[in-house]
Every structure is written in C-alpha cells, then in structure tokens.
Amino acid sequence: MQLLDGKKVSDDIKNEITAEVQKMKEKGEKVPHLAAVIVGNDGASLTYVGSKVKACERVGFESTLVKMPSTTSETELLKKIQQLNEDDNIDGFIVQLPLPDQIDTQKVLMAIDPKKDVDGFHPENFGKMALDMTTFIPATPFGILELLERYGVETKGKHTVVIGRSHIVGRPMSILMGRKGFPGNSTVTLTHSYTKNIAQITTQADIIITALGVPNYLKAEMVKDDAVVIDVGITRVNDDSEKGYRITGDVDFEFVSKKASFITPVPGGVGPMTIAMLLKNTLLAREQKLLRD
C-alpha cells in the first residue's frame, strides 16, 4: 500500500508556483492576485479562507480578503462581485460557500466573470471542462487528478466508482475520469443516495473516489484487493482529545488501507491539494489575462 501524500505534493506544487512568480517578478510583470469573499462567521469557512490567504503569501501572490456580515443581502453581495469583476488588479476570486439562507448561491456563481472564476463553478467553465476544452477545473477534482498523475496511478481502462454527485466534487470527477487522456480513459460509475446495492458496485471498482461526508462509510468489505481509494470526505467527529474532535474521512482507513494499493489519508490527502490547485488556477488566470492583453 502506498499513501497518496497530498501534503507533500501540494508543497511541491507551491514550490513550482513560487518559481513561476519569481520569473514574473524578474520580468517586471504584475504577480497574480487572488481575492476571497466570505459572508458571515462560519468557523470552518473562516479557517479555510485563512489558509488560502496564507498560501497566497507563501507563493508570492497578492491576496485580498473581503469579509461581509451574515446579514448581507443578495443585492449587496452581487454588487461586490460586480466590483471584483471590473477590478483589473484582481486576476481571480472565489466566493466561499456555504452562503447564508437569504442569498441564492446559483445566482451568485452565475454573476462571477468566468475568466476570474478560479473555483471553476461557473456553468461556462463547467461546460468547457465537460467538452475537454482548456478551462478552470474545480480545485478538489483538479487536485485528485494531479495526485493520480504524480504517483503514476494507471487509470486507462480501469473501472472508477465515484460516490456522491455534488457539483463541487462528484459530478466533475465522474466527467474527468471518463475523458480522453491521462488521468482519464476509465469507465465511470457515478453512485449516490438512491443507488441500490452500492457495495456490489464498489467491490468491482479499480478506483473509488468517495465524497459523501459520512465518517467511515467505506468499509474494507466494500473494497477489492489492490483498489485505489481516494477519500474526499472531511467530518469533525467528537472525541476525548484536547481539541474535543478529530477529522475523519469517508473511508474506514485502518482496515481499507490493508487492502488498497494506493490510498489518501485524512487529513493530509485531498485537502491540501485543493488549496494548491486554487493557486494553480489563479496563476492560469493571470497567464490568460496576459495573453488577452
């Protein structure tokens, strides 16, 4: 069994991006600038956005954090997005989800300029991804592809089972694993809450990508020997430790890891890759803007 070490690979990617930024500086070019909008005080979201800002500092990007109160109206948020769309200094930006109930998430995602949509959630970018065109791939699926590629995990002709059909991970992952090229060229089964006999399907899988958010859902008896297991789940489970909780994935790691050929740990697997790929998308946005200008 080999661990797919997202922490190590994400560090490698950040070092590569740092070198690119250094070249930009030497040429006297403007460095990439990422903005993040956060509405309200959700603890997990604040932590996540904070780590994105730190990552920007590490690679030499400029970053802007836009904090808005939880009482922000949809109109106010859309106005702020319009300002960011028009701000020539900002190459890419994200709106941290989830948003408060009074705001229509779909409307917000539609309002972001696709050329600055480094999260890859705008329908224009999603459509381009589905058609194999160059675009921003959502950061978590992009990170999974990068892990598979850097560890040389064979995907061609393999049976990939994706558990969960969210727009952020499951659905894009199912499209990407079936595309032509590497990683890709696999036969994909997309499973979800209405799938019957899910264990029957997972035991036939060469690669399992699970993004359910149900702690320890995937048990050893649901996995065949030498399967590749990618765990996107991240749930806080209360325990007796000093913190009062531990971070747990969708996979019953202790037992599944004994059967898998490759597996991602939680934490330290897919999580760090997501932020690294967001930086990569921001670099791409900057490069594309230079080409347009």
Side-chain angles (χ1 to χ4, degrees), residues 16-58:
E16 289 159 19
I17 293 171
T18 306
E20 287 296 317
V21 172
Q22 196 50 45
K23 282 183 204 162
M24 286 177 160
K25 284 181 179 168
E26 284 164 10
K27 287 184 198 161
E29 289 172 7
K30 180 183 133 9
V31 300
H33 187 155
L34 174 69
V37 180
I38 185 162
V39 184
N41 294 309
D42 178 69
S45 292
L46 284 166
T47 304
Y48 193 44
V49 169
S51 54
K52 287 171 181 174
V53 170
K54 272 195 200 126
C56 282
E57 280 171 21
R58 152 139 195 220

Side-chain angles (χ1 to χ4, degrees), residues 157-172:
K158 301 293 184 186
H159 181 198
T160 296
V161 172
V162 179
I163 306 174
R165 55 178 167 183
S166 75
H167 295 168
I168 294 172
V169 182
R171 199 165 301 176

Side-chain angles (χ1 to χ4, degrees), residues 232-251:
V232 187
I234 182 158
T235 310
R236 284 184 175 195
V237 176
N238 294 332
D239 68 5
D240 300 329
S241 69
E242 208 175 302
K243 274 195 213 161
Y245 67 87
R246 68 182 186 281
I247 299 293
T248 306
D250 288 354
V251 176

